[in-house]
Every structure is written in C-alpha cells, then in structure tokens.
C-alpha cells in the first residue's frame, strides 16, 4: 500500500508541465551532476539498464538522434538496477557519448521519485527544466517528438 501511495504522489510531481524534481547523481567519471545545472538546453532523461534488452536495442537510434541535435539537446542516461562495473562496461562497449549517471541510493532513488513503471523510460524536459513528455518503451513516438521540438 505504501509503495502504491508513493507512486501516486510521484506521478503528480512528474506530470507534463511540472518542473522535473532536481537531483544530483554520480557520473561515469566520478563527478556529481545536478539536473538543474543543465538548464538552457532541452534534456532527455533516459532511464535504462544494462539488463534491459529494449534499452540496449535502442542505443543506435539514440546515438543518431544525439549526434543530430547535441547542440540543442542533452541526453542524460540514468542506469537503474545495475552494478557499477556492468554499467561502466556497457557505457564503454556501446560508446555512449552523452552524460551517463548511475541511480543513487534509497534516499535518492530516481525511479521511485520519477514514478518509473518500466524501461526504457524517456522524459523530455524543456530548457527551463519543465516536463514536456514522458515516453515508456522504445518507440518512434519519442523520436518524432524530438524531431518536432527541434524544428521549432
């Protein structure tokens, strides 16, 4: 019951139009990265895991999108449910060019804070940190949304 209540409360905080909850997580290089420090560009929060087949399958398309729009958009990969070594190996093996973070501890559990229901989940933020759209799964809807935003 408590988990369901927490999820319902989190859903209210991450609805479209809301400012994304700020967080600080450790990057693959060991530095702390705070979400609010990325303001000014569109940001995609990509909740994924090395154990998630669809997450891995979507990497080539994500890399194409990132290469096309990296001057106006930042991707922040947030590894969830991964041991640190598996995460580091996967980032290196897949040559992920964007910001790569690993989910925090119980006190800073982003999948819970962001009401993540499945993987991958991509949350698109505007330059002010407001949530534009949340897309669950590997879908062309995500890329169509990004293309539309970048055309503005």
């Amino acid at each position: 019951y408590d988990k369901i209540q927490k999820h319902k409360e989190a859903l209210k905080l991450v609805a479209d139009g809301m400012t994304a909850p700020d967080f600080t997580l450790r990057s693959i290089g060991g530095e702390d990265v705070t979400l609010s420090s990325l303001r000014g560009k569109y940001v995609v929060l990509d909740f994924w895991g090395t154990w998630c087949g669809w997450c891995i399958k979507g990497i080539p398309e994500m890399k194409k999108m990132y290469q096309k729009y990296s001057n106006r958009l930042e991707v922040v990969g947030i590894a969830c449910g991964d041991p640190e070594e598996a995460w580091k190996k996967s980032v290196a093996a897949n040559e992920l060019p964007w910001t790569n973070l690993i989910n925090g501890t119980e006190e800073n559990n982003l999948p819970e804070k962001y009401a993540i229901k499945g993987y991958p989940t991509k949350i698109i933020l505007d330059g002010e940190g407001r949530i534009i759209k949340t897309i669950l799964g590997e879908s062309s809807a995500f890329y169509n949304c990004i293309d539309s935003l970048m055309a503005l």
Side-chain angles (χ1 to χ4, degrees):
Y1 177 79
D2 287 343
K3 249 186 170 175
I4 292 169
Q5 286 305 109
K6 275 186 179 180
H7 185 77
K8 283 182 180 180
E9 290 302 312
L11 280 172
K12 292 177 193 174
L13 298 175
V14 294
D16 292 357
M18 299 294 290
T19 298
D22 205 11
F23 61 83
T24 301
L25 292 178
R26 188 170 37 82
S27 75
I28 198 138
E31 305 87 24
D32 284 343
V33 175
T34 301
L35 177 61
S36 58
S37 72
L38 302 173
R39 298 255 166 95
K41 281 186 168 185
Y42 287 96
V43 174
V44 173
L45 300 178
D46 179 23
F47 289 86
W48 72 291
T50 63
W51 44 266
C52 167
W54 283 106
C55 301
I56 302 302
K57 184 177 179 181
I59 288 173
E61 195 65 26
M62 281 284 286
K63 286 170 78 171
K64 284 184 211 166
M65 182 270 312
Y66 182 72
Q67 183 177 16
K68 187 174 179 182
Y69 298 124
S70 63
N71 61 326
R72 297 185 52 209
L73 174 135
E74 184 58 52
V75 173
V76 178
I78 301 169
C80 301
D82 278 314
E84 189 167 335
E85 279 309 306
W87 165 60
K88 287 181 175 180
K89 282 181 186 173
S90 186
V91 169
N94 289 292
E95 299 176 343
L96 303 183
W98 47 78
T99 302
N100 288 283
L101 309 175
I102 192 162
N103 183 49
T105 61
E106 289 300 314
E107 307 88 63
N108 197 16
N109 187 340
L110 285 194
E112 187 176 279
K113 190 183 275 190
Y114 276 80
I116 302 301
K117 292 182 282 197
Y119 297 89
T121 293
K122 295 173 177 67
I123 301 176
I124 304 166
L125 311 178
D126 69 12
E128 300 301 313
R130 288 183 301 266
I131 298 169
I132 296 172
K133 190 164 187 68
T134 299
I135 298 171
L136 174 61
E138 187 57 37
S139 164
S140 61
F142 167 73
Y143 300 101
N144 293 338
C145 184
I146 293 295
D147 287 338
S148 294
L149 289 169
M150 294 298 112
L152 297 177

